[in-house]
Amino acid sequence: EPEVTQTPSHQVTQMGQEVILRCVPISNHLYFYWYRQILGQKVEFLVSFYNNEISEKSEIFDDQFSVERPDGSNFTLKIRSTKLEDSAMYFCASSELDEQFFGPGTRLTVL
Amino acid sequence: GENVEQHPSTLSVQEGDSAVIKCTYSDSASNYFPWYKQELGKRPQLIIDIRSNVGEKKDQRIAVTLNKTAKHFSLHITETQPEDSAVYFCAASKAAGNKLTFGGGTRVLVKP
């Protein structure tokens, strides 16, 4: 059964550094999403992406964040200048219609 | 925007008993309600979902009910087993391609 994949599984970075989190959505899916989950808390929506553009973004998704689909398979989340409070698990998800399937996540630790 | 409340936050049951988790939502335009199971350190896994055109859906030991008038939906797990121990999240969405708004989660512990 096809699954969403994400790399890396764990990323440690210094405050102020740029990070890029990578995702490969399920191949026939049209909608892509990024969510984050701070340890022990609920999953929070960051951004949704369709037809090569952002369709919706949350208040969390400020100017420090960007998303890109650089080729036909990858979907990336970039954080330009990381802050301590960006430490969280970042999940990519994709859907063909409304059923969203999540990747295994990237644990981002900002020191 | 949408707000999803989930109760209880923790639930401890004896193996074989039933577990019920309840969620309420605020946006009457929401019409898709999935439930996710998340084991420690793992991805949220979709276990069942319901759309607004039905009131109940069942899949083996898991069932979900939806009351659109009252804006609440519930997850029922019967004959619980230790492997059902996990955090369960409800969510709501308006349509295909729309964001999921998650509830706060319920930590379920099934005691053998």
Side-chain angles (χ1 to χ4, degrees), chain A residues 3-5 31 33 35 37 40-45 48 55-56 89 91 95-105 107, chain B residues 3-4 31-32 34 36 38 41-46 49 51 57 89 93 95-105 107:
Chain A
E3 287 189 330
V4 177
T5 59
Y31 302 98
Y33 317 82
Y35 293 86
Q37 185 178 34
Q41 297 186 22
K42 68 178 177 181
V43 179
E44 300 175 288
F45 169 75
S48 56
S55 44
E56 187 176 3
M89 183 74 96
F91 290 105
S95 69
E96 186 177 9
L97 292 171
D98 48 20
E99 291 184 0
Q100 295 187 24
F101 296 92
F102 283 71
R107 180 168 299 283
Chain B
N3 183 46
V4 177
N31 58 14
Y32 174 66
Y36 287 84
Q38 188 178 32
K42 301 286 184 63
R43 75 184 82 192
Q45 291 268 17
L46 179 65
D49 55 17
R51 292 172 179 83
K57 184 176 177 181
F89 290 98
S93 175
N98 274 235
K99 67 180 181 186
L100 291 174
T101 301
F102 283 83
R107 184 173 300 279

Side-chain angles (χ1 to χ4, degrees), chain A residues 12-32:
Chain A
V12 181
T13 190
Q14 294 291 324
M15 190 170 55
Q17 294 296 303
E18 175 183 286
V19 294
I20 298 177
L21 310 183
R22 292 182 167 79
C23 169
V24 179
I26 295 172
S27 62
N28 64 326
H29 286 185
L30 304 174
Y31 302 98
F32 314 119

